[in-house]
């Protein structure tokens, strides 16, 4: 999420529409967590999570519908500056996909956590399937980890800059994380970020 909040225009849209902007992060964090659990099939061991009728599939369909509603509501309401671009566009969706893939790999590498490179490629592929289900055009999806990393840096160059909305969202997330941690670990989120 810190990667997503670093994209100033996207952070402005999130701050306009999200519970995070009101400092009520519990619901938003829970919704994101629920989606991750559903699409990655954590705790169910069902190989059909992303197939029609599977819980991951149903969750992704709901998120895609929500994105469409947000996009149309903001576009017709005049609540976003046209300079921010179309809300929840292809690049925004790709940036979010990268947040859950290449940014995770980079973070694991930075702190020295080892993982199987083949499993990382499999994980990325799974997220590309999810990305296509969310409406990302197939031709835009990264073919492998190297392409995902290059895309992450390109999106960061184009969109990452400090913004009041990003500060608001990140501050709310860090406060939520700190209060959710055991006392001895409360400063870990801000240190890791």
């Amino acid at each position: 999420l810190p990667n997503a909040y670093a994209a100033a225009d996207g952070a402005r849209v999130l701050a306009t529409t999200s519970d995070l902007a009101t400092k009520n992060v519990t619901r938003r964090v829970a919704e994101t967590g629920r989606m991750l659990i559903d699409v990655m099939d954590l705790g169910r061991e069902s190989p059909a999570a992303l197939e029609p009728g599977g819980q991951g599939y149903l969750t992704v369909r709901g998120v895609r519908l929500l994105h469409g509603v947000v996009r149309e509501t903001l576009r017709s309401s005049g609540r976003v500056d046209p300079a921010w671009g179309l809300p929840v566009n292809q690049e925004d969706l790709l940036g979010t996909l990268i947040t859950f893939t290449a940014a995770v790999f980079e973070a694991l590498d930075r702190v020295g956590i080892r993982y199987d490179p083949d499993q990382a490629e499999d994980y990325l592929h799974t997220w590309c399937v999810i990305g296509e289900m969310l409406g990302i055009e197939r031709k835009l999806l990264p073919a492998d980890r190297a392409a995902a990393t290059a895309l992450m840096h390109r999106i960061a160059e184009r969109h990452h800059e400090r913004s009041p909305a990003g500060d608001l969202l990140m501050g709310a997330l860090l406060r939520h994380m700190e209060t959710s941690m055991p006392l001895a670990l409360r400063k870990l989120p801000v240190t890791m970020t």
Side-chain angles (χ1 to χ4, degrees):
L1 290 178
N3 235 22
Y5 300 158
D9 293 340
R12 289 179 188 109
V13 170
L14 282 171
T16 301
T17 62
S18 173
D19 288 342
L20 290 174
T22 63
K23 299 182 174 54
N24 180 9
V25 299
T26 304
R27 178 176 165 206
R28 179 69 173 125
V29 170
E31 288 170 350
T32 301
R34 179 84 259 156
M35 180 184 157
L36 292 172
I37 288 167
D38 290 349
V39 300
M40 298 312 295
D41 195 38
L42 300 174
R44 288 191 192 87
E45 299 180 17
S46 167
L50 294 175
E51 292 181 13
Q55 188 58 54
Y57 176 88
L58 296 173
T59 299
V60 169
R61 299 280 296 192
V63 170
R64 185 172 180 169
L65 179 61
L66 175 65
H67 287 164
V69 169
V70 166
R71 184 182 308 109
E72 291 306 312
T73 300
L74 290 176
R75 185 167 37 187
S76 64
S77 73
R79 291 177 59 198
V80 294
D81 186 327
W84 302 350
L86 178 68
V88 199
N89 60 44
Q90 291 288 294
E91 192 171 19
D92 292 343
L93 293 171
L94 276 168
T96 302
L97 181 131
I98 292 303
T99 294
F100 291 117
T101 57
V104 171
F105 304 143
E106 186 175 90
L108 293 173
D109 291 343
R110 281 186 184 177
V111 296
I113 296 175
R114 294 178 187 220
Y115 53 88
D116 182 315
D118 290 334
Q119 288 182 345
E121 292 289 347
D122 294 345
Y123 179 80
L124 173 63
H125 174 75
T126 300
W127 272 103
C128 286
V129 169
I130 295 163
E132 189 171 358
M133 291 170 67
L134 285 169
I136 300 174
E137 294 176 28
R138 181 179 291 186
K139 67 183 179 188
L140 300 175
L141 293 164
D144 55 28
R145 183 172 173 200
T149 300
L151 182 59
M152 176 178 66
H153 292 295
R154 200 154 112 220
I155 289 172
E157 286 172 14
R158 287 176 42 81
H159 296 284
H160 285 192
E161 65 181 67
R162 188 168 189 168
S163 69
D167 290 347
L168 172 74
L169 295 167
M170 194 61 214
L173 179 63
L174 285 172
R175 282 189 299 279
H176 174 74
M177 291 171 63
E178 287 174 358
T179 60
S180 301
M181 302 286 284
L183 185 60
L185 299 176
R186 287 205 174 153
K187 293 302 175 189
L188 184 61
V190 74
T191 300
M192 295 300 289
T193 301

